[in-house]
Amino acid sequence: MAAHEVSEGFDVIIAGGGLAGLSAAYTLASGGLEVLLLERGDYCGAKNVTGGRIYVSPVRELFPELWKQAPLERFIAHEEVSLMAQERSITIRYDGSELNEQPYQSYSVLRSKLDRWLARQAERKGAMLVTRSRVDDVILENGRVRGVRAGGEELRASVVLACDGVLSFVAQKAGLRKAYEAGNYALGIKEVIELDRQVIEDRFNLEGDEGAARLFMGDVTAGKFGGGFLYTNKDSLSLGIVVGIDALGNEEPDVAAPDLLDRFKQRPEIARLIRGGETVEYSAHVIPEGGLKAMGALYGDGILVAGDAAGLAMNIGVTVRGMEYAMASGYYAAQAVMNAYQKGDFSSTTLSEYRRLLEGSFVLSDFQNFRESLSVLENPRFFQYYPELVGNILKDLYHVPAGPKEKLYPTIRKHLGIKELGALFKDYRRLKKI
Amino acid sequence: MSQVMGLKAKLGLNVFKEGGEFHIKIREGKAKDQRLKKAILVCPAGLYSENPDGEVTISVDGCLECGTCLIACGPEVLEWRYPDGGTGVQFRFG
Ligand SMILES: Cc1cc2nc3c(=O)[nH]c(=O)nc-3n(C[C@H](O)[C@H](O)[C@H](O)COP(=O)(O)OP(=O)(O)OC[C@H]3O[C@@H](n4cnc5c(N)ncnc54)[C@H](O)[C@@H]3O)c2cc1C
Ligand code: SF4
């Protein structure tokens, strides 16, 4: 076969300039391929929302030149997780010298800054980026993808990368997606709240570029599957909630999505942290959280799917991870494309190397290891029952009444009858799966 | 206590660029479909409402393009696509 099946057109067309698409464009252009990336936003990042924390450790080696200059906000040096009952909350805080050692493992980020910067790096390597351009369809010939249609034009390429995010109409048009099921997706809603840098550092006990990550579960989501988050940026806070769409639409109590966020903001624990801040943006985005079972095909003839488009994000209770999976899958998709380019063969058989690369990396290993997490964690007891239970136990343990204080053991046992202990044990056994 | 900012005011903080036709439409004859009712709860921009006849309507201005309504209600009741390139919400922070 000729080295280049398609003589007109590009080597690669990438639909979507988020972290997956830009990582792929950067890698492919570095390898000398002719890349066209189409992004529907005014600029890369204009349509993208994240909570706020990227784990750099798993992807540091894949982009050795990038991290020194990347516009990251603060390295996360302080972790807190809170269990919220209706009237009280319990918080665990973790600080450790390991969180303060270079290279730092995770950072808070704002996508519009990060994506725009990464877009410039990809352009510098020679990728061609066209913004304000929506991909409308794929060109399919005998089941093989030959390019895309955008703005009434036919653009041809040897291979197309669908990096168009969670809804991925591009993968859908190529017949690679499973039908949407509400149980496999969450809604994330977020406010960016501007606050003076000094106030942030004083309020969160931060030195210099240190940052704090705070996660909340329980009453935050009215007991529905999900949680709340707060990340400190340089001079703003990212505050939001993530909640399962199925739970939101179908489970009691009926709470409208915007009200959940408002209720969260009004909790005294949160109101105190954001006091004096000014909301400057309100955003929302769907998150894939169905794991392996919800994933469609990762490749077909002439096409690869990466990032959220492939369902590569994970919701492990309070924390969502997707950015590093997006970057790594973009990178491995680029590797598979470069090997296919060498062979001059972009059939699904050759492109299947992509899946093997992901399996050999942290990406699909993580999805394999955490494959039970959604079904285990989707247990309403974790979001309603336990926060209230632990809250009540602590309330009684800490309470000093006017009269004599009850002994500690009976205080705890009062809340934990045989039935509760049995259920606790069962939940504990299920938790061991993750 | 922090004062609650209304949803309209919050949406007003975002940068929107006017575009061509509406990118989300309720499919013909589906305005009373039970599945559509969920959109009223799940839409983070509060763009869906029910009129006295029991029909659900959408006012697409302020749409965050999150996709939640599509996933909650399904493509059988909603015709959903992204707005034209370079239009719609443009996040400055994300
Ligand atoms: C509230 C929230 C909190 C989160 N928290 C975290 C977190 O703390 N840590 C973490 O790692 N992950 C988090 N995630 C997940 C993470 O943000 C995503 O997994 C990640 O953004 C996926 O990147 P992507 O490049 O695959 O997709 P996206 O960032 O969605 O990029 C897709 C791109 O494609 C473009 N596009 C779409 N369709 C077309 C088209 N037809 N034509 C042209 N362009 C198109 C879009 O405009 C966009 O730029 C969170 C997500 C949300 C919503
Ligand atoms: S896409 Fe999101 S913001 Fe827009 S109408 Fe649907 S749910 Fe509401």
Side-chain angles (χ1 to χ4, degrees):
Chain A
M1 191 181 292
H4 307 290
E5 299 174 48
V6 184
S7 50
E8 12 88 85
F10 297 84
D11 293 332
V12 190
I13 290 179
I14 301 175
L19 288 178
L22 291 168
S23 302
Y26 175 86
T27 310
L28 287 163
S30 305
L33 270 69
E34 217 174 85
V35 183
L36 171 67
L37 182 149
L38 301 170
E39 163 58 45
R40 67 188 185 88
D42 256 5
Y43 41 85
C44 289
K47 303 287 185 181
N48 304 344
V49 182
T50 201
R53 175 217 302 246
I54 185 166
Y55 284 93
V56 173
S57 310
V59 288
R60 186 172 279 119
E61 305 289 304
L62 305 182
F63 310 94
E65 291 172 39
L66 278 185
W67 298 111
K68 267 206 195 77
Q69 307 289 326
L72 304 168
E73 294 288 316
R74 291 172 180 271
F75 72 90
I76 303 301
H78 306 281
E79 306 269 1
E80 278 188 23
V81 55
S82 301
L83 212 55
M84 284 190 156
Q86 281 175 20
E87 302 290 335
R88 52 194 64 83
S89 60
I90 301 110
T91 300
I92 300 174
R93 178 176 170 116
Y94 158 48
D95 308 285
S97 57
E98 60 282 3
L99 295 178
N100 257 302
E101 270 159 26
Q102 295 228 40
Y104 306 121
Q105 74 166 15
S106 75
Y107 291 83
S108 52
V109 289
L110 291 167
R111 287 296 295 281
S112 150
K113 276 195 211 168
L114 179 63
D115 292 19
R116 229 187 299 201
W117 175 83
L118 190 54
R120 270 202 308 280
Q121 309 314 308
E123 277 182 315
R124 240 179 235 165
K125 294 283 177 189
M128 182 173 163
L129 267 56
V130 179
T131 55
R132 295 173 206 179
S133 173
R134 183 188 62 200
V135 172
D136 294 321
D137 206 350
V138 293
I139 304 171
L140 267 176
E141 287 170 10
N142 304 320
R144 190 198 180 293
V145 174
R146 296 279 181 190
V148 301
R149 293 190 180 86
E153 272 185 89
E154 284 212 345
L155 301 161
R156 298 179 82 86
S158 303
V159 62
V160 169
L161 302 191
C163 301
D164 52 335
V166 53
L167 302 179
S168 193
F169 298 120
V170 174
Q172 187 183 58
K173 296 227 151 109
L176 301 178
R177 268 197 83 102
K178 292 188 180 163
Y180 307 119
E181 241 181 72
N184 291 331
Y185 298 90
L187 161 64
I189 320 177
K190 170 176 166 184
E191 283 184 31
V192 175
I193 301 172
E194 263 179 5
L195 201 55
D196 197 57
R197 191 177 174 133
Q198 198 56 50
V199 175
I200 293 179
E201 287 166 11
D202 292 346
R203 199 170 283 178
F204 291 85
N205 276 322
L206 308 173
E207 296 276 345
D209 284 338
E210 284 182 3
R214 300 204 170 175
L215 304 170
F216 306 87
M217 62 186 283
D219 190 55
V220 182
T221 47
K224 297 170 197 280
F225 179 66
F229 60 83
L230 185 154
Y231 295 102
T232 56
N233 302 314
K234 283 209 170 78
D235 39 28
S236 65
L237 305 174
S238 292
L239 179 81
I241 51 169
V242 171
V243 56
I245 294 180
D246 189 33
L248 191 60
N250 299 316
E251 267 175 24
E252 297 290 324
D254 276 359
V255 194
D259 297 342
L260 269 184
L261 184 58
D262 279 338
R263 283 180 23 170
F264 180 45
K265 284 178 70 180
Q266 285 169 287
R267 291 276 310 205
E269 297 94 330
I270 302 298
R272 214 165 279 146
L273 295 175
I274 60 177
R275 190 167 42 211
E278 192 189 338
T279 299
V280 288
E281 188 166 86
Y282 177 66
S283 60
H285 206 278
V286 168
I287 305 167
E289 59 171 21
L292 285 177
K293 67 173 185 353
M295 256 176 228
L298 292 170
Y299 55 87
D301 281 322
I303 184 165
L304 294 170
V305 192
D308 274 9
L312 291 171
M314 208 187 295
N315 188 358
I316 323 173
V318 283
T319 147
V320 176
R321 287 183 60 191
M323 287 188 276
E324 53 276 8
Y325 298 127
M327 292 193 76
S329 59
Y331 172 86
Y332 289 116
Q335 297 298 332
V337 164
M338 290 194 285
N339 291 340
Y341 183 80
Q342 291 294 328
K343 288 195 197 166
D345 172 15
F346 297 93
S347 66
S348 66
T349 317
T350 306
L351 294 178
S352 69
E353 193 203 357
Y354 172 48
R355 190 178 182 100
R356 286 191 294 281
L357 289 170
L358 289 177
E359 279 166 353
S361 75
F362 75 98
V363 179
L364 283 182
S365 308
D366 281 0
F367 278 81
Q368 194 61 34
N369 290 339
F370 288 97
R371 68 187 178 283
E372 307 275 5
S373 64
L374 188 62
S375 65
V376 171
L377 290 169
E378 233 168 5
N379 177 349
R381 293 170 60 86
F382 290 127
F383 300 90
Q384 268 161 354
Y385 174 72
Y386 289 122
E388 293 297 338
L389 176 71
V390 180
N392 286 332
I393 292 177
L394 282 177
K395 181 186 77 181
D396 288 353
L397 284 178
Y398 277 86
H399 182 59
V400 175
K405 185 166 167 59
E406 206 181 0
K407 286 176 75 174
L408 298 186
Y409 184 70
T411 308
I412 297 173
R413 273 308 299 267
K414 191 172 70 195
H415 293 284
L416 291 171
I418 301 291
K419 262 223 235 77
E420 279 80 14
L421 285 172
L424 201 79
F425 184 65
K426 266 197 220 144
D427 286 341
Y428 168 71
R429 296 228 329 214
R430 298 184 61 203
L431 266 182
K432 286 203 298 193
K433 287 197 204 158
I434 58 177
Chain B
M1 275 317 255
S2 71
Q3 70 292 13
V4 185
M5 188 180 200
L7 194 53
K8 279 254 147 54
K10 274 194 209 175
L11 293 171
L13 301 169
N14 293 346
V15 174
F16 288 99
K17 283 179 60 187
E18 296 279 320
E21 61 168 337
F22 284 177
H23 64 283
I24 305 174
K25 289 180 201 149
I26 294 163
R27 290 194 191 274
E28 285 269 319
K30 301 289 186 187
K32 289 188 176 174
D33 195 294
Q34 229 19 59
R35 288 171 286 186
L36 199 52
K37 302 256 191 300
K38 292 180 208 164
I40 303 169
L41 274 184
V42 303
C43 173
L47 301 180
Y48 290 86
S49 52
E50 192 171 351
N51 70 19
D53 299 335
E55 288 171 342
V56 175
T57 58
I58 174 173
S59 115
V60 89
D61 283 346
C63 176
L64 303 166
E65 299 166 32
C66 66
T68 310
C69 54
L70 172 64
I71 286 177
C73 311
E76 299 80 23
V77 288
L78 288 178
E79 187 186 329
W80 201 111
R81 55 189 187 86
Y82 287 121
D84 291 342
T87 68
V89 70
Q90 313 288 338
F91 296 124
R92 291 164 299 139
F93 299 91

